[in-house]
Amino acid sequence: MITIVDDIYPPVLKTIKDAPLVLYAMGDIDLLTLHPMLSVIGTRKPSNEAMPKMKEYVLPLIQEGWVIVSGMAMGIDSYAHRLALNSSGRTIAVLGSGFDYIYPKKHMQLFRQIAASGLVLTEYPPNTPPERYHFPERNRIISGLSFGTFVIEATERSGTLITVDQALDQGRDVYALPGSPLAEHTKGCNKMIQDGAKLVQSTADIAEDWKRMESHWVI
């Protein structure tokens, strides 16, 4: 259990609205001291192109030691965690339930893998089951830990937009991969770019932003 007054509590998380007073952690809490962290999120129903996209745009960052933060949900979230784990990288999962109620249940093995070689966080006590409203709440932690949020795929009305809105409200950068306007799974990303998210054409688009702000970010 990590409280907001403990030294290991991430300073950047203290700056967000409604910062969690307590975090329950399972795994390597030293990951909380590492930078940069990038949240990687997207639709729960990704296309066949999603993993190739992530290998092209996220894997190079993992290989450079970036910590990948996501929510262990179906789809892009689980892809992000697995890509980091399979590449001997670092990843943090933020849950919308307590440790006694892993959701979705089919991700129990993924949860154990992340707890063994990464870090799992939740603001909910262990005996707290998942509730619909928990997931928008936990999203503020995902974006709050990270200097930026990278959206791989999203539909026009994707729940991913909740995290994006929270990231913007927290003053974090938002990045999105563009796609065909005819494809449902990229319409949300295209709309984000239209509204001001940074279009990603290479990992350098994200890495160069980090280099510019690193000295102001690392406390």
Side-chain angles (χ1 to χ4, degrees), residues 42-98:
T43 178
R44 284 170 169 75
K45 296 180 180 180
S47 73
N48 293 333
E49 298 175 351
M51 184 54 83
K53 290 177 183 177
M54 297 179 73
K55 288 180 178 178
E56 177 72 21
Y57 296 100
V58 179
L59 183 56
L61 300 175
I62 293 172
Q63 293 171 333
E64 290 178 14
W66 288 45
V67 181
I68 303 302
V69 184
S70 200
M72 215 178 77
M74 300 291 290
I76 298 297
D77 285 25
S78 63
Y79 284 13
H81 294 307
R82 288 193 173 101
L83 188 61
L85 292 170
N86 294 339
S87 307
S88 300
R90 302 179 174 106
T91 190
I92 297 174
V94 185
L95 307 185
S97 62

Side-chain angles (χ1 to χ4, degrees), residues 175-197:
Y175 303 88
L177 277 180
S180 168
L182 302 178
E184 288 297 324
H185 58 268
T186 58
K187 285 184 177 179
C189 289
N190 292 345
K191 183 66 165 59
M192 290 174 207
I193 293 167
Q194 189 176 49
D195 291 342

Side-chain angles (χ1 to χ4, degrees), residues 55-168:
K55 288 180 178 178
E56 177 72 21
Y57 296 100
V58 179
L59 183 56
L61 300 175
I62 293 172
Q63 293 171 333
E64 290 178 14
W66 288 45
V67 181
I68 303 302
V69 184
S70 200
M72 215 178 77
M74 300 291 290
I76 298 297
D77 285 25
S78 63
Y79 284 13
H81 294 307
R82 288 193 173 101
L83 188 61
L85 292 170
N86 294 339
S87 307
S88 300
R90 302 179 174 106
T91 190
I92 297 174
V94 185
L95 307 185
S97 62
F99 291 138
D100 292 343
Y101 291 90
I102 299 306
Y103 181 85
K105 290 182 179 180
K106 67 184 301 180
H107 281 173
M108 178 61 75
Q109 183 179 1
L110 178 59
F111 162 74
R112 290 171 178 157
Q113 290 175 323
I114 299 171
S117 59
L119 178 63
V120 185
L121 294 176
T122 180
E123 65 181 315
Y124 304 106
N127 62 349
T128 307
E131 299 286 353
R132 182 179 295 272
Y133 63 88
H134 287 174
F135 297 96
E137 288 179 350
R138 69 91 194 265
N139 289 350
R140 80 189 193 288
I141 301 174
I142 294 174
S143 57
L145 285 170
S146 313
F147 99 92
T149 293
F150 186 17
V151 184
I152 305 299
E153 290 183 345
T155 59
E156 201 163 8
R157 297 185 179 181
S158 173
T160 301
L161 300 177
I162 297 173
T163 310
V164 168
D165 287 343
Q166 289 172 332
L168 293 172

